[in-house]
């Protein structure tokens, strides 16, 4: 009798779990697209000790709206220190909510995720400003900031 009760309990648990997963958990209907990344200053001769800002622009496929994006930018850690993001330029607030920003110094890259909760008609499309990254040169020479491909 005890085995039948355990079997029926397990079966009920499986049925309820399946119902819950199929009813309340669903995949996003959003498609994933490859966006082109254009840093404003890909190569420049910066002055040691003087921080600078570079805008990061995204180009999406024609007619596609952008509700979220993740970028990975490479920088030369022997010549630059990542200082964070700059939100002073209001033209760069199209994706207004920062989800994550990580400075992976081991691999010399910044990983940055942003999202917009605007309704579909108000989402940006085409060439948009993703945001601005701030760096401080720590050594002389040309510096490069480029998308990780």
């Amino acid at each position: 009798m005890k085995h039948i009760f355990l079997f029926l309990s397990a079966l009920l648990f499986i049925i309820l779990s399946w119902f819950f997963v199929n009813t309340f958990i669903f995949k996003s209907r959003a498609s994933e697209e490859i966006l082109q990344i254009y840093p404003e200053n890909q190569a420049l001769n910066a002055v040691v000790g003087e921080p600078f800002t570079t805008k990061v622009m995204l180009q999406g496929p024609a007619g596609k709206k952008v509700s979220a994006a993740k970028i990975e930018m490479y920088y030369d850690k022997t010549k630059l220190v990542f200082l964070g993001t700059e939100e002073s330029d209001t033209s760069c607030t199209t994706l207004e909510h920062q989800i994550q920003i990580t400075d992976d110094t081991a691999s010399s890259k910044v990983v940055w995720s942003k999202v917009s909760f605007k309704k579909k008609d108000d989402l940006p499309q085409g060439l948009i400003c993703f945001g601005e990254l701030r760096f401080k040169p720590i050594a002389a020479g040309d510096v490069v900031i480029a998308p990780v491909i």
Side-chain angles (χ1 to χ4, degrees):
M1 184 73 172
K2 189 175 185 180
H3 293 297
I4 294 174
F5 176 74
L6 288 175
F7 174 75
L8 290 176
S9 296
L11 184 61
L12 181 62
F13 176 76
I14 292 170
I15 291 170
L16 290 176
S17 296
W18 178 84
F19 175 76
F20 177 79
V21 167
N22 286 313
T23 304
F24 299 107
I25 299 175
F26 54 91
K27 287 187 172 185
S28 169
R29 292 189 188 129
S31 64
E32 186 174 306
E33 301 286 341
I34 301 296
L35 303 174
Q36 299 296 317
I37 303 172
Y38 301 102
E40 179 183 51
N41 304 323
Q42 283 191 324
L44 61 110
N45 197 348
V47 179
V48 175
E50 290 186 21
F52 67 92
T53 302
T54 184
K55 284 185 183 180
V56 178
M57 306 297 288
L58 299 179
Q59 176 70 52
K64 298 280 185 171
K65 304 243 181 190
V66 178
S67 61
K70 173 184 168 187
I71 65 166
E72 295 183 13
M73 301 295 293
Y74 166 82
Y75 67 96
D76 185 350
K77 69 179 178 184
T78 65
K79 295 182 180 165
L80 294 174
V81 171
F82 176 64
L83 299 176
T85 61
E86 182 72 34
E87 298 298 331
S88 62
D89 187 349
T90 56
S91 68
C92 277
T93 57
T94 51
L95 298 174
E96 67 276 7
H97 299 286
Q98 181 171 292
I99 301 299
Q100 175 187 23
I101 186 154
T102 306
D103 179 16
D104 184 355
T105 53
S107 61
S108 298
K109 70 179 179 180
V110 173
V111 179
W112 193 7
S113 302
K114 291 175 80 176
V115 66
S116 177
F117 296 118
K118 296 176 183 174
K119 59 185 182 178
K120 185 177 179 180
D121 292 342
D122 296 336
L123 290 173
Q125 63 182 352
L127 184 64
I128 63 169
C129 185
F130 184 77
E132 298 172 303
L133 299 173
R134 291 188 45 78
F135 294 93
K136 179 179 173 184
I138 56 172
D142 289 340
V143 296
V144 175
I145 301 167
V148 175
I149 300 174

